[in-house]
């Protein structure tokens, strides 16, 4: 599932006339980059949620013949449901009983997603969250077993503790990529608009919610114009043999 329904307010003025998903990076829309990465992985179906300029996304997919893939649209035109609500609404569009890889449309990453899938299956996790050691205003905390224990907003000092050992846990920054077991859908009690992180924190008290430590050489949040411009300069001259974040 590609999360592409956001308003893209941080990316203005790019998003004044188009959705964030169709903002271009080095001449290619962010949505196309995400779709191609998932096609290269060999996924069987892609679900994309839409809200802001939804018609333009649908037109883009039609004009590109859906990139030859099985692509379904989860329509949030009536109400933007946040990440948790968006996932829940899309439930019936997924292949039954199949794991779901969630990918934010506004990230650029060189992660090997096949390795994530292998580790997720081996660990028998309910959720595997791709995490990095990097500066952030918000952190998720994981103990020595890679289990999610809490969350903190460093700007407001707000803390959401999921397990007693949060204070001894390591803070890591979320990369906007996560893999979920289909059993997760049976455990969602929340209704309407809600954050998927709040859902994960609730379930972390009893379920296996693990960090996948991403040490790939390239990761970018493309949510702001200056980040987009920096990423464009970087990938134009990108050489994986000498690049480090």
């Amino acid at each position: 599932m590609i999360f592409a329904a956001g308003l893209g307010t941080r990316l203005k003025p790019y998003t004044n006339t188009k959705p964030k998903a169709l903002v271009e990076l080095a001449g290619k829309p962010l949505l196309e980059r995400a779709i191609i990465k998932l096609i290269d992985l060999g996924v069987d179906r892609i679900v994309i949620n839409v809200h802001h300029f939804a018609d333009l996304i649908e037109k883009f997919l039609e004009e590109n013949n859906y990139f030859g893939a099985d692509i379904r649209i989860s329509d949030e035109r009536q109400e933007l449901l946040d990440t948790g609500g968006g996932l829940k609404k899309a439930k019936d569009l997924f292949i039954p009983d199949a794991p779901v890889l969630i990918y934010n449309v506004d990230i650029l990453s060189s992660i090997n997603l096949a390795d994530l899938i292998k580790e997720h299956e081996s660990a028998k996790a309910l959720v595997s969250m791709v995490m990095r050691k990097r500066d952030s205003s918000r952190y998720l905390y994981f103990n020595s077993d890679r289990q999610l224990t809490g969350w903190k907003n460093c700007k407001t000092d707000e803390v959401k503790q999921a397990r007693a050992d949060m204070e001894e846990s390591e803070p890591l920054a979320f990369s906007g990529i996560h893999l979920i077991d289909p059993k997760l859908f049976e455990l969602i009690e929340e209704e309407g608009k809600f954050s998927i992180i709040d859902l994960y924190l609730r379930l972390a008290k009893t379920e296996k919610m693990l960090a996948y430590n991403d040490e790939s050489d390239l990761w970018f949040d493309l949510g702001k114009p200056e980040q987009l411009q920096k990423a464009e300069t970087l990938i134009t001259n990108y050489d994986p043999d000498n690049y480090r974040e």
Side-chain angles (χ1 to χ4, degrees):
M1 182 173 186
I2 299 174
F3 281 152
L7 296 173
T9 51
R10 295 185 304 151
L11 255 181
K12 286 180 177 292
Y14 293 106
T15 50
N16 286 343
T17 57
K18 66 176 69 174
K20 175 170 57 177
L22 295 185
V23 171
E24 293 188 353
L25 173 64
K28 190 179 294 184
L30 302 183
L31 180 60
E32 180 176 345
R33 290 182 176 277
I35 289 171
I36 297 303
K37 191 170 182 72
L38 297 180
I39 289 174
D40 289 346
L41 179 66
V43 300
D44 298 298
R45 179 178 296 172
I46 299 172
V47 175
I48 303 170
N49 67 341
V50 296
H51 173 80
H52 187 55
F53 289 113
D55 294 353
L56 294 183
I57 291 179
E58 290 181 331
K59 182 181 178 184
F60 172 76
L61 293 171
E62 289 168 8
E63 288 175 344
N64 286 278
N65 196 30
Y66 295 88
F67 296 91
D70 179 2
I71 296 179
R72 312 288 175 97
I73 293 293
S74 183
D75 193 335
E76 295 181 32
R77 282 178 175 88
Q78 296 300 315
E79 182 185 10
L80 192 57
L81 295 170
D82 204 343
T83 47
L87 177 68
K88 183 177 180 178
K89 179 179 175 61
K91 176 186 174 184
D92 293 337
L93 296 173
F94 300 122
I95 296 171
D97 302 318
V100 179
L101 175 69
I102 302 171
Y103 200 95
N104 287 3
V105 77
D106 59 352
I107 57 169
L108 176 69
S109 172
S110 62
I111 185 175
N112 185 326
L113 293 171
D115 288 345
L116 166 65
I117 292 169
K118 286 178 191 173
E119 186 167 310
H120 174 80
E121 291 174 346
S122 174
K124 294 180 170 56
L126 182 66
V127 178
S128 295
M129 309 175 68
V130 176
M131 309 299 300
R132 288 178 78 90
K133 292 181 179 179
R134 61 177 176 84
D135 291 336
S136 179
S137 60
R138 292 170 293 181
Y139 290 100
L140 290 167
Y141 285 72
F142 295 87
N143 64 19
S144 57
D145 295 323
R146 297 188 293 116
Q147 169 67 39
L148 177 63
T149 61
W151 171 93
K152 181 178 181 180
N153 184 325
C154 296
K155 289 183 176 178
T156 64
D157 287 330
E158 181 184 5
V159 173
K160 296 177 181 179
Q161 185 167 337
R163 292 198 173 205
D165 56 350
M166 178 182 171
E167 288 187 8
E168 294 83 53
S169 297
E170 180 181 20
L172 295 169
F174 184 40
S175 290
I177 305 169
H178 27 150
L179 185 58
I180 66 170
D181 186 281
K183 296 186 185 72
L184 176 78
F185 291 106
E186 303 166 12
L187 302 173
I188 298 176
E189 300 169 355
E190 291 81 355
E191 298 288 345
K193 180 177 180 178
F194 62 93
S195 163
I196 203 167
I197 297 298
D198 287 342
L199 169 66
Y200 289 174
L201 290 166
R202 177 176 68 79
L203 294 176
K205 295 175 173 64
T206 55
E207 303 293 336
K208 213 168 186 180
M209 320 291 283
L210 302 183
Y212 174 85
N213 291 311
D214 175 26
E215 297 181 351
S216 58
D217 59 358
L218 179 65
W219 183 89
F220 253 94
D221 172 6
L222 304 171
K224 296 179 181 179
E226 59 269 25
Q227 294 165 328
L228 192 70
Q229 290 156 10
K230 185 177 179 183
E232 183 147 338
T233 300
L234 188 148
I235 65 170
T236 302
N237 305 295
Y238 179 59
D239 180 353
D241 292 329
N242 61 24
Y243 177 73
R244 291 294 179 271
E245 186 179 19

